[in-house]
mmCIF file of all heavy atoms in Angstrom:
data_model
loop_
_atom_site.group_PDB
_atom_site.id
_atom_site.type_symbol
_atom_site.label_atom_id
_atom_site.label_comp_id
_atom_site.label_asym_id
_atom_site.label_seq_id
_atom_site.Cartn_x
_atom_site.Cartn_y
_atom_site.Cartn_z
ATOM 1 N N LYS H 205 50.323 -12.187 20.376
ATOM 2 C CA LYS H 205 50.645 -11.298 19.389
ATOM 3 C C LYS H 205 49.561 -11.209 18.244
ATOM 4 O O LYS H 205 49.112 -10.119 17.894
ATOM 5 C CB LYS H 205 51.979 -11.518 18.823
ATOM 6 C CG LYS H 205 52.433 -10.663 17.664
ATOM 7 C CD LYS H 205 53.794 -11.102 17.214
ATOM 8 C CE LYS H 205 54.262 -10.391 15.953
ATOM 9 N NZ LYS H 205 55.580 -10.756 15.458
ATOM 10 N N GLY H 209 46.820 -8.249 17.589
ATOM 11 C CA GLY H 209 46.780 -7.684 16.237
ATOM 12 C C GLY H 209 45.410 -7.668 15.654
ATOM 13 O O GLY H 209 44.980 -6.758 14.977
ATOM 14 N N ILE H 212 43.508 -4.857 17.413
ATOM 15 C CA ILE H 212 43.904 -3.587 16.852
ATOM 16 C C ILE H 212 43.150 -3.402 15.436
ATOM 17 O O ILE H 212 42.634 -2.340 15.198
ATOM 18 C CB ILE H 212 45.410 -3.437 16.769
ATOM 19 C CG1 ILE H 212 45.962 -3.393 18.187
ATOM 20 C CG2 ILE H 212 45.731 -2.206 16.024
ATOM 21 C CD1 ILE H 212 47.490 -3.473 18.137
ATOM 22 N N ILE H 216 40.613 -0.478 14.046
ATOM 23 C CA ILE H 216 40.816 0.257 12.800
ATOM 24 C C ILE H 216 39.604 0.151 11.901
ATOM 25 O O ILE H 216 39.056 1.044 11.326
ATOM 26 C CB ILE H 216 42.104 -0.060 12.048
ATOM 27 C CG1 ILE H 216 43.221 0.000 13.035
ATOM 28 C CG2 ILE H 216 42.280 0.778 10.824
ATOM 29 C CD1 ILE H 216 44.438 -0.723 12.499
ATOM 30 N N LEU H 274 50.798 -4.788 2.937
ATOM 31 C CA LEU H 274 49.496 -4.511 3.401
ATOM 32 C C LEU H 274 49.436 -3.123 4.197
ATOM 33 O O LEU H 274 48.493 -2.320 3.928
ATOM 34 C CB LEU H 274 49.026 -5.634 4.348
ATOM 35 C CG LEU H 274 47.589 -5.563 4.834
ATOM 36 C CD1 LEU H 274 47.018 -7.011 5.075
ATOM 37 C CD2 LEU H 274 47.488 -4.816 6.236
ATOM 38 N N LEU H 275 50.386 -2.935 5.099
ATOM 39 C CA LEU H 275 50.298 -1.730 5.935
ATOM 40 C C LEU H 275 50.463 -0.469 5.129
ATOM 41 O O LEU H 275 49.603 0.425 5.417
ATOM 42 C CB LEU H 275 51.369 -1.851 7.070
ATOM 43 C CG LEU H 275 51.177 -0.810 8.154
ATOM 44 C CD1 LEU H 275 49.838 -0.866 8.859
ATOM 45 C CD2 LEU H 275 52.394 -0.971 9.193
ATOM 46 N N PRO H 276 51.407 -0.189 4.276
ATOM 47 C CA PRO H 276 51.383 0.959 3.487
ATOM 48 C C PRO H 276 50.240 1.272 2.722
ATOM 49 O O PRO H 276 49.723 2.320 2.509
ATOM 50 C CB PRO H 276 52.686 0.831 2.635
ATOM 51 C CG PRO H 276 53.512 -0.137 3.366
ATOM 52 C CD PRO H 276 52.606 -1.123 4.048
ATOM 53 N N VAL H 279 47.337 2.385 5.227
ATOM 54 C CA VAL H 279 47.516 3.742 5.754
ATOM 55 C C VAL H 279 47.254 4.812 4.563
ATOM 56 O O VAL H 279 46.628 5.802 4.801
ATOM 57 C CB VAL H 279 48.944 3.892 6.288
ATOM 58 C CG1 VAL H 279 49.125 5.336 6.610
ATOM 59 C CG2 VAL H 279 49.095 3.048 7.523
ATOM 60 N N LEU H 321 44.167 -9.208 6.572
ATOM 61 C CA LEU H 321 44.916 -8.946 7.813
ATOM 62 C C LEU H 321 45.034 -10.278 8.583
ATOM 63 O O LEU H 321 46.121 -10.595 9.059
ATOM 64 C CB LEU H 321 44.240 -7.874 8.674
ATOM 65 C CG LEU H 321 44.983 -7.536 9.909
ATOM 66 C CD1 LEU H 321 46.384 -7.167 9.679
ATOM 67 C CD2 LEU H 321 44.187 -6.517 10.662
ATOM 68 N N LEU H 325 48.593 -11.995 9.858
ATOM 69 C CA LEU H 325 48.844 -12.159 11.220
ATOM 70 C C LEU H 325 49.251 -13.550 11.709
ATOM 71 O O LEU H 325 50.123 -13.842 12.397
ATOM 72 C CB LEU H 325 47.814 -11.602 12.161
ATOM 73 C CG LEU H 325 47.578 -10.041 12.125
ATOM 74 C CD1 LEU H 325 46.305 -9.682 12.833
ATOM 75 C CD2 LEU H 325 48.845 -9.348 12.857
ATOM 76 N N ALA H 378 44.259 5.802 10.540
ATOM 77 C CA ALA H 378 45.544 5.736 9.879
ATOM 78 C C ALA H 378 46.614 5.611 10.917
ATOM 79 O O ALA H 378 47.556 4.752 10.839
ATOM 80 C CB ALA H 378 45.777 6.872 8.914
ATOM 81 N N LEU H 379 46.526 6.423 11.959
ATOM 82 C CA LEU H 379 47.539 6.421 13.000
ATOM 83 C C LEU H 379 47.529 5.112 13.744
ATOM 84 O O LEU H 379 48.647 4.576 14.077
ATOM 85 C CB LEU H 379 47.433 7.642 13.937
ATOM 86 C CG LEU H 379 47.615 8.947 13.302
ATOM 87 C CD1 LEU H 379 47.266 10.092 14.309
ATOM 88 C CD2 LEU H 379 49.008 9.143 12.832
ATOM 89 N N LEU H 380 46.403 4.638 14.008
ATOM 90 C CA LEU H 380 46.270 3.328 14.784
ATOM 91 C C LEU H 380 46.790 2.178 13.919
ATOM 92 O O LEU H 380 47.409 1.275 14.381
ATOM 93 C CB LEU H 380 44.806 3.066 15.111
ATOM 94 C CG LEU H 380 44.512 1.840 15.964
ATOM 95 C CD1 LEU H 380 45.219 1.884 17.291
ATOM 96 C CD2 LEU H 380 42.969 1.735 16.190
ATOM 97 N N ALA H 381 46.701 2.237 12.560
ATOM 98 C CA ALA H 381 47.149 1.260 11.671
ATOM 99 C C ALA H 381 48.658 1.103 11.827
ATOM 100 O O ALA H 381 49.179 0.013 11.651
ATOM 101 C CB ALA H 381 46.745 1.520 10.237
ATOM 102 N N LEU H 382 49.313 2.214 12.034
ATOM 103 C CA LEU H 382 50.849 2.143 12.105
ATOM 104 C C LEU H 382 51.285 1.312 13.277
ATOM 105 O O LEU H 382 52.336 0.791 13.279
ATOM 106 C CB LEU H 382 51.375 3.592 12.224
ATOM 107 C CG LEU H 382 51.152 4.512 11.059
ATOM 108 C CD1 LEU H 382 51.570 5.911 11.367
ATOM 109 C CD2 LEU H 382 51.922 3.974 9.887
ATOM 110 N N THR H 383 50.400 1.149 14.337
ATOM 111 C CA THR H 383 50.847 0.431 15.511
ATOM 112 C C THR H 383 50.895 -1.136 15.122
ATOM 113 O O THR H 383 51.405 -1.935 15.903
ATOM 114 C CB THR H 383 49.891 0.572 16.661
ATOM 115 O OG1 THR H 383 48.552 0.066 16.364
ATOM 116 C CG2 THR H 383 49.781 2.070 16.972
ATOM 117 N N LEU H 384 50.333 -1.523 13.940
ATOM 118 C CA LEU H 384 50.348 -2.925 13.562
ATOM 119 C C LEU H 384 51.781 -3.310 12.969
ATOM 120 O O LEU H 384 51.991 -4.510 12.696
ATOM 121 C CB LEU H 384 49.303 -3.203 12.510
ATOM 122 C CG LEU H 384 47.872 -3.235 12.972
ATOM 123 C CD1 LEU H 384 46.934 -3.373 11.758
ATOM 124 C CD2 LEU H 384 47.615 -4.490 13.917
ATOM 125 N N ALA H 385 52.623 -2.363 12.751
ATOM 126 C CA ALA H 385 53.807 -2.631 12.007
ATOM 127 C C ALA H 385 54.655 -3.740 12.647
ATOM 128 O O ALA H 385 55.163 -4.698 11.926
ATOM 129 C CB ALA H 385 54.667 -1.349 11.868
ATOM 130 N N PRO H 386 54.875 -3.787 13.973
ATOM 131 C CA PRO H 386 55.720 -4.872 14.557
ATOM 132 C C PRO H 386 55.077 -6.192 14.390
ATOM 133 O O PRO H 386 55.739 -7.249 14.347
ATOM 134 C CB PRO H 386 55.774 -4.473 16.042
ATOM 135 C CG PRO H 386 55.462 -3.019 16.147
ATOM 136 C CD PRO H 386 54.430 -2.742 14.934
ATOM 137 N N ARG H 387 53.710 -6.293 14.311
ATOM 138 C CA ARG H 387 53.099 -7.543 14.219
ATOM 139 C C ARG H 387 52.963 -8.039 12.773
ATOM 140 O O ARG H 387 52.717 -9.284 12.552
ATOM 141 C CB ARG H 387 51.635 -7.458 14.778
ATOM 142 C CG ARG H 387 51.602 -7.192 16.270
ATOM 143 C CD ARG H 387 50.195 -6.868 16.726
ATOM 144 N NE ARG H 387 50.189 -6.794 18.189
ATOM 145 C CZ ARG H 387 50.597 -5.843 18.956
ATOM 146 N NH1 ARG H 387 50.937 -4.716 18.339
ATOM 147 N NH2 ARG H 387 50.637 -5.860 20.273
ATOM 148 N N LEU H 388 53.277 -7.297 11.790
ATOM 149 C CA LEU H 388 53.192 -7.665 10.409
ATOM 150 C C LEU H 388 54.588 -7.872 9.761
ATOM 151 O O LEU H 388 54.648 -8.240 8.690
ATOM 152 C CB LEU H 388 52.461 -6.568 9.568
ATOM 153 C CG LEU H 388 51.013 -6.481 9.968
ATOM 154 C CD1 LEU H 388 50.329 -5.329 9.120
ATOM 155 C CD2 LEU H 388 50.279 -7.715 9.530
ATOM 156 N N ARG H 389 55.583 -7.777 10.632
ATOM 157 C CA ARG H 389 56.928 -7.939 10.110
ATOM 158 C C ARG H 389 57.228 -9.475 9.942
ATOM 159 O O ARG H 389 56.876 -10.238 10.916
ATOM 160 C CB ARG H 389 58.070 -7.380 10.982
ATOM 161 C CG ARG H 389 58.077 -5.835 10.901
ATOM 162 C CD ARG H 389 59.257 -5.249 11.545
ATOM 163 N NE ARG H 389 59.287 -3.834 11.570
ATOM 164 C CZ ARG H 389 59.093 -3.145 12.738
ATOM 165 N NH1 ARG H 389 59.024 -3.800 13.858
ATOM 166 N NH2 ARG H 389 59.130 -1.834 12.706
#
Side-chain angles (χ1 to χ4, degrees):
K205 176 180 173 180
I212 294 171
I216 304 165
L274 186 149
L275 189 59
V279 172
L321 181 62
L325 289 170
L379 294 174
L380 185 59
L382 292 174
T383 67
L384 286 171
R387 293 173 170 81
L388 293 175
R389 289 195 186 111

